[in-house]
Amino acid sequence: MTDQQLREVRDRLTETAAEAARRTPGVAFLRSDLATVLRATSRLAGGSGSPGGAAPAVRVHRTGSGDAWEAEVDVRLAVHRGTRVLDVSRAVRGAVEAAVTADLPADTAHLPGGRVPRVRVSVIVTGVV
C-alpha cells in the first residue's frame, strides 16, 4: 500500500471516528488539544491553507509493522454536565471502535499482512460543560 493510500484510509477513518463520537449521547463537542490548535494557527498564519482535516480532535494512526499493525484512534471531547464521564467515555469508545472497524476496507489484501488491523480507541475527556 502506498503512502498516499494509507493517508486516504487514515483520513476516511478519522472522519468516521469523529462522526461516531459526535453522535454518542452525552458528548457536548469534540475538542482539539493545544498542540493541534497551535499547529493550525501556525499553518493559517503562514498562508499554507486549512489546518487539515475536519476533525482535529480525532487522530487515527498506525502502529506496528508488517502483519501486526494496529489502528489507534485518539478522541478528545467534552461532555455535558449531569452525565457520568465514565459512561460517556465507554459509549464513545464502543461506538468509535465499531464504526472504524466497519469502515476498514473490505478487501484487506492491499493492507500490510493482508488482514484487517486491530482497532484500539483512547478517549480523553477534557471538560464538562
Side-chain angles (χ1 to χ4, degrees), residues 17-33 56-59 73-80 83-96 121-129:
E19 184 58 32
R22 278 188 205 103
R23 285 192 318 254
T24 304
V27 173
F29 54 87
L30 300 182
R31 184 174 197 158
S32 299
D33 63 351
V58 176
R59 291 194 194 124
V73 183
D74 300 321
V75 181
R76 294 178 176 271
L77 53 88
V79 299
H80 289 291
T83 59
R84 289 191 49 198
V85 172
L86 180 61
D87 293 341
V88 175
S89 298
R90 285 179 178 163
V92 168
R93 187 178 314 116
V96 168
V121 179
S122 299
V123 177
I124 300 171
V125 177
T126 60
V128 178
V129 295

Side-chain angles (χ1 to χ4, degrees), residues 29-45:
F29 54 87
L30 300 182
R31 184 174 197 158
S32 299
D33 63 351
L34 181 58
T36 302
V37 171
L38 292 175
R39 275 194 303 275
T41 303
S42 173
R43 286 187 191 134
L44 291 174

